[in-house]
Amino acid sequence: MLMAHPVVLRNLIEQYGALRVLRAEDGSSQARQRMDDVAYTLCVSTGTCDIDAALVAARHRLPGARTEDDSLLSARPSPAAGPAAV
C-alpha cells in the first residue's frame, strides 16, 4: 500500500478539523462537500473506510507518534494476560 507523506496527512487532519468547526458554524453545502472530500482523501490515504479510523491512523503516522501506544485500541485483555479483575 502506498503511504501518504506525513506532511500531507498533517495538512488533511488540520483541514478536517477546521472544516468540522466551519460545518458546525456555517453548514453551507460547499463546506459540507469540502469536508466530505477531505474525509474521503483521509480514508484513502490511510487505507480505512471510516473517518474516525482514518484520523487515528493518520495521527499514528505523524512524526513523534508513539507506535507502541495502543491506548486507542480496545481495552480487551490478551488471552495471555489471564482473567481480568472485576
Side-chain angles (χ1 to χ4, degrees):
M1 180 172 101
L2 292 175
M3 302 289 276
H5 193 279
V7 172
V8 172
L9 291 175
R10 184 176 307 281
N11 182 284
L12 289 169
I13 292 168
E14 289 172 1
Q15 283 185 56
Y16 186 80
L19 288 165
R20 187 178 341 185
V21 171
L22 179 61
R23 182 178 186 188
E25 293 176 355
D26 183 65
S28 73
S29 62
Q30 289 177 329
R32 284 193 307 273
Q33 181 61 52
R34 181 65 186 142
M35 186 173 187
D36 290 344
D37 292 345
V38 171
Y40 175 80
T41 304
L42 269 166
C43 288
V44 169
S45 298
T46 57
T48 60
C49 299
D50 169 275
I51 185 57
D52 294 323
L55 289 167
V56 169
R59 288 182 181 121
H60 274 271
R61 292 186 188 158
L62 295 178
R66 294 182 6 213
T67 56
E68 68 277 355
D69 181 9
D70 62 355
S71 61
L72 295 174
L73 302 178
S74 70
R76 183 176 38 184
S78 68
V86 178

